[in-house]
């Protein structure tokens, strides 16, 4: 359960980091290109810490349990050969259905407004989530949360700033911003769904209470949208499945790009 | 709506800003470079991302480049040459005690 939870946080960080990294060399101006790459590296750094911790948890499982954790073929073979997994195995050799990230973070960059909207929804969630996770009874997760919170605070400042700038900007930037938040809104519900893992982790004092985070997140979104003269999207229907390994088509393309080198040239380093 | 006006004015390019970074408390802000930004707040944030990624700073100043008044390089001779032969303006005739480290 804790492994599933840790992997979800790691996968969120990896996939978000990858998405933002796709802007590298394509940013609208040099300064924002660097800003996004910085943020991307914050996410990747957090992903590493979490994957290392996940690998450690996995290695402590009894042998008979190890076989059932992942359905990815390459990982199965590694495990059957009696080898342990490391952070790179988890990031580069796991198949899509073993990924636990939220659907929100795998959504494509499309344009600047989309990227900003996705970041804002996720950064605001991360901010309250990691604030809570600092209280975790699990010392490693609490320490990662404490370190991440400083980074996330800046991420949220950056994305809030851009929501306001574009929302309360020109007619065109306003229209694009409103369109992007409307389109991405249906991926925000999943952030607050307490699935079995969430319930168990909360029960053990390890995980965060998403029900508690939801109103805080909503307040933040309302405040920033008001300043940005944006409307809260009316749509009520929410998409979900990422936390259970049911992903949108986009994740497959991300993993194809992300994992190609390790799969084509196993063990390659540079 | 000030932002909207500004972005119409600078349709193709945001204004240039000069960035000054203080590397640690107690030291001066030093000129680090310049960057483009739509307004002061964005300039601070861009400066943070561009100039403090390797722990270079603890404080940032930004000022729009057009607000800086510079001396004319053509007048360098009359402005700076006269100081050249006034050797007595340098405090080199004193014996400094060893305890004074930063002179």
């Amino acid at each position: 359960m804790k492994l599933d939870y840790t992997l979800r946080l790691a996968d969120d960080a990896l996939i978000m980091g990858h998405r933002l990294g796709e802007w590298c060399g394509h940013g609208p101006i040099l300064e924002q290109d660097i800003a996004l790459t910085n943020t991307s590296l914050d996410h990747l750094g957090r992903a590493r810490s979490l994957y290392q911790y996940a690998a450690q948890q996995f290695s402590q499982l009894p042998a008979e349990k190890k076989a059932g954790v992942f359905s990815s073929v390459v990982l199965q073979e590694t495990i059957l050969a009696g080898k342990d997994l490391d952070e790179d195995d988890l990031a580069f050799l796991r198949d899509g259905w073993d990924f636990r990230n939220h659907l929100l973070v795998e959504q494509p960059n499309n344009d600047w407004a989309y990227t900003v909207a996705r970041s804002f929804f996720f950064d605001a969630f991360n901010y309250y989530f990691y604030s809570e996770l600092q209280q975790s009874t699990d010392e490693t997760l609490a320490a990662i949360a404490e370190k991440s919170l400083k980074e996330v605070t800046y991420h949220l400042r950056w994305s809030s700033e851009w929501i306001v700038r574009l929302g309360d900007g020109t007619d065109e930037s306003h229209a694009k911003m409103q369109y992007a938040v409307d389109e991405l809104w249906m991926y925000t519900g999943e952030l607050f769904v307490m699935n079995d893992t969430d319930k168990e982790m909360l029960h053990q004092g390890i995980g965060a209470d998403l029900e508690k985070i939801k109103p805080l997140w909503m307040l933040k979104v309302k405040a920033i949208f008001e300043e940005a003269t944006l409307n809260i999207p009316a749509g009520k229907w929410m998409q979900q499945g990422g936390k259970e390994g049911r992903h949108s088509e986009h994740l497959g393309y991300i993993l194809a790009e992300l994992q190609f080198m390790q799969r084509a040239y196993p063990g390659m380093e540079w | 709506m000030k932002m909207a006006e500004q972005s119409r004015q600078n349709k193709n390019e945001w204004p240039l800003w000069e960035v000054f970074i203080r590397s640690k408390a107690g030291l001066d802000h030093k000129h680090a470079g310049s960057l483009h930004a739509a307004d002061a707040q964005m300039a601070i944030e861009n400066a943070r991302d561009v100039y403090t990624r390797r722990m270079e700073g603890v404080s940032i100043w930004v000022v729009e480049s057009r607000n800086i008044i510079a001396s004319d390089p053509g007048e360098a001779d009359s402005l700076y040459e006269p100081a050249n032969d006034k050797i007595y303006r340098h405090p080199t005739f004193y014996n400094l005690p060893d305890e004074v480290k930063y002179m």
Side-chain angles (χ1 to χ4, degrees):
Chain A
M1 276 287 189
K2 189 164 87 181
L3 178 59
D4 187 60
Y5 199 70
T6 309
L7 279 173
R8 181 204 303 167
L9 304 185
D11 292 343
D12 265 351
L14 178 69
I15 301 302
M16 188 66 175
H18 182 81
R19 274 295 188 222
L20 295 178
E22 287 175 353
W23 273 105
C24 184
H26 300 273
I29 58 164
L30 173 94
E31 290 82 353
Q32 290 304 322
D33 199 292
I34 294 176
L36 276 190
T37 319
N38 284 350
T39 305
S40 169
L41 289 173
D42 288 345
H43 287 300
L44 291 181
R46 190 170 74 249
R48 280 199 65 187
S49 307
L50 288 160
Y51 282 134
Q52 284 164 4
Y53 187 42
Q56 187 194 326
Q57 290 172 43
F58 182 81
S59 72
Q60 287 161 357
L61 291 177
E64 69 275 12
K65 277 207 165 178
K66 284 184 178 176
V69 178
F70 300 111
S71 45
S72 308
V73 179
V74 187
L75 292 187
Q76 287 277 7
E77 285 171 3
T78 312
I79 295 162
L80 277 178
K83 288 184 209 144
D84 262 327
L85 303 177
D86 65 13
E87 51 178 314
D88 289 329
D89 296 327
L90 293 174
F92 295 119
L93 299 177
R94 236 170 354 127
D95 294 325
W97 46 83
D98 281 334
F99 271 71
R100 293 289 179 265
N101 60 280
H102 294 97
L103 297 174
L104 177 67
V105 298
E106 68 198 41
Q107 298 310 305
N109 290 338
N110 288 343
D111 62 12
W112 192 249
Y114 253 84
T115 300
V116 165
R118 187 188 56 206
S119 281
F120 174 66
F121 289 146
F122 186 58
D123 296 343
F125 171 77
N126 266 352
Y127 179 78
Y128 297 112
F129 179 82
Y130 282 111
S131 300
E132 279 291 302
L133 202 65
Q134 286 185 113
Q135 322 301 326
S136 174
T137 55
D138 184 285
E139 281 176 20
T140 308
L141 287 179
I144 293 173
E146 192 186 340
K147 178 174 185 289
S148 302
L149 195 59
K150 293 191 190 99
E151 297 166 347
V152 169
T153 303
Y154 186 77
H155 300 165
L156 179 59
R157 174 180 159 155
W158 179 90
S159 51
S160 303
E161 174 75 14
W162 272 104
I163 293 271
V164 174
R165 198 174 282 285
L166 295 181
D168 186 22
T170 62
D171 291 343
E172 187 186 354
S173 74
H174 176 85
K176 283 188 170 180
M177 200 64 247
Q178 184 69 57
Y179 183 75
V181 299
D182 287 348
E183 287 284 296
L184 288 169
W185 187 249
M186 68 172 155
Y187 299 107
T188 59
E190 186 187 22
L191 297 169
F192 308 105
V193 174
M194 294 283 286
N195 72 3
D196 290 345
T197 301
D198 288 296
K199 285 177 195 156
E200 180 57 26
M201 288 297 98
L202 179 62
H203 180 68
Q204 292 184 25
I206 295 171
D209 185 356
L210 301 177
E211 307 276 347
K212 192 169 152 190
I213 293 169
K214 189 176 181 179
L216 297 171
W217 181 88
M218 200 62 213
L219 270 178
K220 180 74 185 171
V221 170
K222 278 186 179 150
I224 296 294
F225 276 26
E226 196 173 294
E227 201 181 331
T229 70
L230 293 169
N231 297 318
I232 301 277
K236 292 269 182 280
W237 185 79
M238 292 291 173
Q239 184 67 265
Q240 56 174 302
K243 293 203 261 196
E244 264 67 51
R246 295 191 310 277
H247 292 276
S248 60
E249 68 188 287
H250 305 297
L251 183 68
Y253 289 96
I254 293 176
L255 294 183
E257 195 177 327
L258 187 72
Q259 299 183 334
F260 170 77
M261 293 301 273
Q262 273 307 317
R263 288 184 183 265
Y265 306 97
M268 191 197 69
E269 290 180 30
W270 75 73
Chain B
M1 282 287 102
K2 208 171 124 220
M3 265 183 223
E5 279 167 37
Q6 220 169 20
S7 69
R8 266 195 297 278
Q9 276 164 18
N10 304 299
K11 234 187 164 90
N12 299 315
E13 191 135 311
W14 290 335
L16 195 65
W17 299 73
E18 300 301 322
V19 179
F20 300 83
I21 306 278
R22 161 181 280 168
S23 57
K24 59 180 181 183
L27 295 184
D28 299 337
H29 285 77
K30 287 223 164 56
H31 187 233
S34 52
L35 49 74
H36 290 99
D39 57 29
Q41 189 170 354
M42 193 199 276
I44 290 274
E45 274 163 31
N46 285 353
R48 181 266 188 192
D49 282 318
V50 177
Y51 291 111
T52 67
R53 304 163 61 221
R54 302 181 184 89
M55 307 282 296
E56 293 95 335
V58 294
S59 166
I60 300 172
W61 287 352
V62 292
V63 60
E64 219 182 313
S65 307
R66 66 188 171 99
N67 291 328
I68 290 189
I69 321 287
S71 64
D72 180 357
E75 289 177 335
D77 283 355
S78 61
L79 287 176
Y80 313 118
E81 279 289 323
N84 212 4
D85 59 353
K86 299 339 187 247
I87 186 174
Y88 48 85
R89 288 181 183 164
H90 295 276
T92 52
F93 305 102
Y94 300 95
N95 289 323
L96 284 180
D98 289 342
E99 295 82 52
V100 182
K101 285 186 183 135
Y102 303 107
M103 282 293 283

